[in-house]
Amino acid sequence: MGFTQLFSRQITIARVYGIPIRIDYRWFAIVALSVWLIASNLQSHDLQLGNVLLPPLPAATAWILGFITTVGLFLSVFGHELAHALMARAEGIEIEEIVLHPFGGLARLRMEPQSPGAELRIAMAGPAASFLFALLAFGGARIAATGNYVGTVVVFFLIAAGNLLLALFNLFPGYPLDGGRVLRAILWRRNGNIKDATRMAGFCGILIGGVLILFGVYIMVAPNWRPTQPYFMGGWSIVVGLFLLDAAWKVVKSAQQAELVSVSDVMSTPMALDPNLTVTKLVDEVLPMHRHTSFPVAVDGKLHGILSLAALKALPREQWPKTAIKSVMHPIRPNFFVRSSTTLESATEMMKQNGVGSVAVIDNQGILVGFLQSGRIKRVSKSTTR
Ligand SMILES: [Zn+2]
């Protein structure tokens, strides 16, 4: 294993709500840096927090507070990502993993949100959680200040400031930041085209990354205005800018290259079954004509469930005449249907995990308009010019 491989290898540190939480080795360096930065500042400077004056602290106290604050900040980043993940789950999207990387975190979803509204809610959940944590920590700092627990005030204050920064930075409107996802959702809703929306929001991400890099260089070299730690602040801004620039660049490139085939391009006309049809009739009359492995079950175009032939195997033959398919079908679940504008990629992912190997396609009124079965997707001719 090479040096870079070792440092990019991820380790699972916990599972929360069944979601694996992963970090890589660079993360330890950032934690150490954070503890050191906080501890060394608390040792060397007076700190004025509102009406509380904190004189330079003894080394041991400073290191302990640095450590506690860092743990608090780490939990804050984690809470931010968990908020995204739980909102995604509420929208019917399973979560692959939460990765905590040196510049924050990432909740990796199994598939893209199905609608601009879902995208917006998932994107906003993170910053909303961070604002809430900031508010709670400010409250904690105020309460601690009345009792003059200066160490506690410092910890709460730094955690509050960290959360506020996390929320505000993430609201920058450049994809893949949360604000960029919000922008993508708005553009997607307005134009109905997820690909153009992704490209535009990604372009804003490139722009913001570039501005952060220039800003970092500026505060390192500017003669008139310099913050207290110009090289550290500037370096940080450059690193975060590069990181965002790289991520946004990849998004724009893949949005340009990937032929985002939508479900409507490849779906077939649905062969919907009536829920009261008996299994005998299905086997005798429908199957000889339609050799599918699963069928949508619907009444007047409204989806009730999906029947997969695999489910019939357990049913003894003598019960076929008196068994209606509604009692053997899988009743409708959120991952049984998609809209026709959904990308084929998302629909394929859904078919893999929903247990029936197919998805129904519905229109805006919820009416069944198509059906997709894995392994039976029409080939689409991909245009190469664009
Ligand atoms: Zn976020």
Side-chain angles (χ1 to χ4, degrees):
M1 190 188 307
F3 184 74
T4 48
Q5 270 176 306
L6 175 72
F7 281 88
S8 59
R9 202 172 68 161
Q10 290 179 346
I11 44 181
T12 305
I13 52 167
R15 268 171 196 278
V16 179
Y17 296 105
I19 306 164
I21 315 300
R22 303 209 165 99
I23 56 175
D24 66 32
Y25 290 95
R26 293 173 303 173
W27 183 84
F28 291 101
I30 297 295
V31 167
L33 182 67
S34 164
V35 174
W36 174 76
L37 259 180
I38 297 168
S40 59
N41 272 296
L42 292 179
Q43 281 175 68
S44 56
H45 299 293
D46 281 340
L47 205 58
Q48 182 77 47
L49 304 174
N51 49 7
V52 178
L53 177 74
L54 192 67
L57 293 171
T61 316
W63 282 100
I64 291 170
L65 292 186
F67 181 75
I68 295 174
T69 308
T70 299
V71 170
L73 290 173
F74 158 70
L75 288 175
S76 303
V77 171
F78 170 66
H80 176 107
E81 297 311 322
L82 191 64
H84 284 306
L86 294 182
M87 183 60 86
R89 184 171 280 182
E91 297 286 345
I93 300 174
E94 270 312 298
I95 299 97
E96 185 80 40
E97 59 183 0
I98 290 178
V99 184
L100 298 169
H101 58 75
F103 310 106
L106 183 73
R108 209 186 295 281
L109 310 181
R110 286 255 167 89
M111 59 187 177
E112 297 267 336
Q114 298 294 304
S115 67
E119 165 103 305
L120 190 83
R121 287 186 289 275
I122 296 168
M124 287 307 295
S130 295
F131 274 124
L132 182 70
F133 298 152
L135 211 65
L136 290 174
F138 269 124
R142 284 202 77 104
I143 293 168
T146 59
N148 243 339
Y149 300 111
V150 276
T152 317
V153 175
V154 172
V155 170
F156 273 129
F157 182 82
L158 291 176
I159 290 174
N163 274 291
L164 199 60
L165 206 68
L166 189 64
L168 292 177
F169 175 68
N170 270 292
L171 284 175
F172 276 25
Y175 198 89
L177 295 176
D178 297 333
R181 291 177 196 273
V182 170
L183 177 66
R184 179 169 91 147
I186 293 168
L187 294 172
W188 181 8
R189 171 163 289 166
R190 184 174 299 170
N191 306 332
N193 186 331
I194 184 175
K195 188 173 156 179
D196 284 351
T198 306
R199 204 161 37 195
M200 267 191 267
F203 189 70
C204 291
I206 293 176
L207 224 61
I208 290 170
V211 168
L212 281 172
I213 295 168
L214 291 180
F215 177 71
V217 172
Y218 174 77
I219 55 180
M220 279 174 151
V221 301
N224 315 328
W225 181 77
R226 309 185 98 189
T228 40
Q229 287 167 316
Y231 291 105
F232 179 75
M233 296 266 288
W236 191 256
S237 182
I238 290 172
V239 169
V240 173
L242 282 172
F243 183 75
L244 180 60
L245 190 73
D246 177 61
W249 189 264
K250 283 183 187 143
V251 166
V252 171
K253 228 170 64 181
S254 74
Q256 249 155 7
Q257 285 171 348
E259 189 62 34
L260 290 182
V261 177
S262 74
V263 162
S264 60
D265 297 329
V266 293
M267 68 191 188
S268 49
T269 328
M271 170 60 215
L273 302 179
D274 187 280
N276 295 314
L277 188 77
T278 63
V279 174
T280 304
K281 281 213 156 172
L282 170 75
V283 172
D284 292 347
E285 291 167 25
V286 181
L287 286 187
M289 309 287 291
H290 306 275
R291 308 192 64 84
H292 301 170
T293 51
S294 56
F295 293 88
V297 180
V299 179
D300 297 332
K302 294 273 181 200
L303 188 69
H304 284 219
I306 291 182
L307 176 78
S308 114
L309 292 190
L312 292 182
K313 287 200 182 111
L315 189 72
R317 195 173 252 275
E318 59 274 16
Q319 300 203 16
W320 285 8
K322 48 181 192 275
T323 306
I325 58 170
K326 67 182 172 198
S327 55
V328 282
M329 71 179 189
H330 297 274
I332 189 164
R333 287 205 307 255
N335 60 358
F336 277 6
F337 57 91
V338 293
R339 309 223 169 219
S340 52
S341 61
T342 304
T343 61
L344 178 58
E345 201 184 349
S346 295
T348 306
E349 194 52 49
M350 201 183 259
M351 286 189 273
K352 267 189 223 159
Q353 31 161 315
N354 69 4
V356 289
S358 54
V359 283
V361 185
I362 58 169
D363 68 8
N364 287 335
Q365 277 74 45
I367 299 295
L368 182 68
V369 291
F371 198 62
L372 274 187
Q373 292 179 82
S374 53
R376 282 179 163 251
I377 290 161
K378 288 191 288 182
R379 282 201 167 272
V380 278
S381 56
K382 291 189 175 186
S383 62
T384 46
T385 51
R386 135 160 326 261

